[in-house]
Amino acid sequence: MSLCSTSAGFELDELPALSRTAVPRNDFLRDNAAELARMWPAARLLPVDRRGRAPMGRSGDMPVLDFRATEGTTPPADAVLLGEQDGVCYWAVRAEPDGPVQEGMGWDATLPDTDEPVWQDLRLAGGLLSAEDAGLLTTAVAVLSWHDNAGFCAKCGSRVEPRRAGWATHCTGCGREEYPRTDPAVICLVHDGGDQVLLARQPIWPPDRYSVLAGFVEGGESLEACVVREICEEVGITVESVHYLGSQPWPFPRSLMVGFSAVGDPTTPLVPADGEIEQARWVHRDEVRAVLAAGGTGPGLILPGVTSIARRMLESWAKT
Ligand SMILES: [Zn+2]
């Protein structure tokens, strides 16, 4: 068996929605308090709530981030510098919604039908935002979520303080520095080398919702080994020809989804993992194409939302 193949089968035809980015992060500014203070009055501030929602207006049918003007003379200590472009700094702060909020969460939500700014979920709106806005909001959700869950030093337990414009914390007890953390997870489109793809559903998902398989990388494990282990654990088959496709940050709260394809034998019986996978089945390319052509929802099969890397993988495979 080959653990890593160079024979692709297919590649991603576009970047995943949240992997798009356009505003430079400009790391060199993070330590320059004087310059950040000088630029603060003209900076644009993005409030983001704990569910990953930010206020968005719209331009035509597309959502656009509704940045706020800054107040005061210097950035607040808990603000995160997202980047700088054309002399304008972009910052994010944790905030409670101060206007209407989108109902539902993630792929269950619906886009608002109003011209007023609405606090919308990155998981739904991310695929519709511009590259600039998608990159800024994804970064904001990721780094603010890290601060929510990293208030105390992992070494001595003392309270930590933000540093480097939100890109580090400093322990008030032992001086330990920490940086935003990301948990790698693999996500793999398993196909049969022909016209069938393996889709599965978790018991907590809405009826008919299916996706490709995914799982967290364990300590001491390579991404490729994780693909083989997770698929075997979840559906009982051993895949080969593991091939890297691309990655996407998924800051809910702090994953990096690393996408792969792999080849499995459809004649091997599927054994869904108890409690983790409710059902797994091979689906023909024609059925996937028909559901995608209908916007992602078809009879007995609902595919992942447009913001997910899973959707990008399925669309790319379906086109080949
Ligand atoms: Zn400490």
Side-chain angles (χ1 to χ4, degrees), residues 152-160 170-177:
F152 296 91
C153 176
K155 186 176 177 186
C156 79
S158 301
R159 186 167 288 280
V160 301
H170 176 85
C171 174
T172 56
C174 70
R176 180 176 179 270
E177 295 258 316

Side-chain angles (χ1 to χ4, degrees), residues 21 30 62 118 121 137 157-158 167 182 188 221 227 243 305 311:
T21 182
R30 296 171 184 168
M62 311 306 275
V118 175
D121 192 309
L137 181 54
S158 301
W167 286 91
T182 295
C188 184
E221 184 175 48
V227 168
H243 175 77
R311 176 66 166 262

Side-chain angles (χ1 to χ4, degrees), residues 78-80 142-151 162-163 166-169 180:
D78 61 349
V80 173
V143 181
L144 291 171
S145 297
W146 171 64
H147 283 290
D148 288 346
N149 296 301
R163 291 285 165 85
W167 286 91
T169 57

Side-chain angles (χ1 to χ4, degrees), residues 4 10 24 119 127 139 148 164-165 206 242 260 266:
C4 191
F10 73 99
W119 286 63
T139 302
D148 288 346
R164 305 203 71 233
V242 177
F260 290 88

